[in-house]
Amino acid sequence: MADTRVRITRDEFLQYIFSQRKDELRGDKYRLTRVRVPGCEVFLAHLIGTSDQAVYRNLGLHIGVHLGEDHTGDSLGLLQFTPWESVVVASDIALKAADVSIGFMDRFNGSLILTGERENVKTAIKEVLNFFGNTLKFEVCELTEN
């Protein structure tokens, strides 16, 4: 089944709704409110090559580690999903794809942070993006990294 969705800009949408009257009504008769409707999307996939201690601590990733362990310097993979529950599936795929750990998972906001060696984290993110894009047919962003 072909995807027939077309994205339009805000101005195109307003033009469609208000026809030629959009500029006449601006500021007087209508107000624009932005609402995010959860769809099927991976809209953040970023790899931080080596985490600094400040980043690691501010994300709270040092909490709950075993005595003597220090994961500072691990790479971090940041992912964001809608619907939010998708993060559970993503974490399962990531853990099976590479030697990574879950630094943080929030099924109520769709956030996932993976930790591990750079190439392992990158492999895990790529597998997650591949599964969500090709198998589940989600809209998937590109992997960015630094």
Side-chain angles (χ1 to χ4, degrees), residues 23-72:
D23 289 329
E24 295 171 28
L25 297 171
R26 186 176 300 271
D28 226 10
K29 306 283 184 194
Y30 77 87
R31 177 176 35 161
L32 182 64
T33 304
R34 293 179 188 255
V35 177
R36 179 155 180 80
V37 178
C40 295
E41 184 177 16
V42 181
F43 55 92
L44 173 67
H46 184 74
L47 173 66
I48 297 175
T50 304
S51 63
D52 183 76
Q53 187 174 25
V55 172
Y56 202 83
R57 287 190 177 277
N58 282 314
L59 288 172
L61 298 176
H62 66 293
I63 298 170
V65 297
H66 293 98
L67 185 63
E69 286 185 23
D70 182 11
H71 296 282
T72 301

Side-chain angles (χ1 to χ4, degrees), residues 16-121:
Y16 173 76
I17 289 183
F18 294 111
S19 189
Q20 298 298 324
R21 299 195 53 220
K22 178 182 74 131
D23 289 329
E24 295 171 28
L25 297 171
R26 186 176 300 271
D28 226 10
K29 306 283 184 194
Y30 77 87
R31 177 176 35 161
L32 182 64
T33 304
R34 293 179 188 255
V35 177
R36 179 155 180 80
V37 178
C40 295
E41 184 177 16
V42 181
F43 55 92
L44 173 67
H46 184 74
L47 173 66
I48 297 175
T50 304
S51 63
D52 183 76
Q53 187 174 25
V55 172
Y56 202 83
R57 287 190 177 277
N58 282 314
L59 288 172
L61 298 176
H62 66 293
I63 298 170
V65 297
H66 293 98
L67 185 63
E69 286 185 23
D70 182 11
H71 296 282
T72 301
D74 281 357
S75 292
L76 303 176
L78 310 172
L79 295 126
Q80 186 79 37
F81 301 85
T82 57
W84 307 299
E85 298 84 359
S86 303
V87 74
V88 177
V89 175
S91 58
D92 178 56
I93 292 166
L95 290 173
K96 290 175 179 174
D99 184 19
V100 295
S101 297
I102 297 174
F104 178 77
M105 178 176 67
D106 183 353
R107 71 179 191 276
F108 300 108
N109 290 309
S111 302
L112 177 63
I113 299 176
L114 302 172
T115 63
E117 292 182 14
R118 182 184 182 96
E119 285 307 312
N120 289 336
V121 174

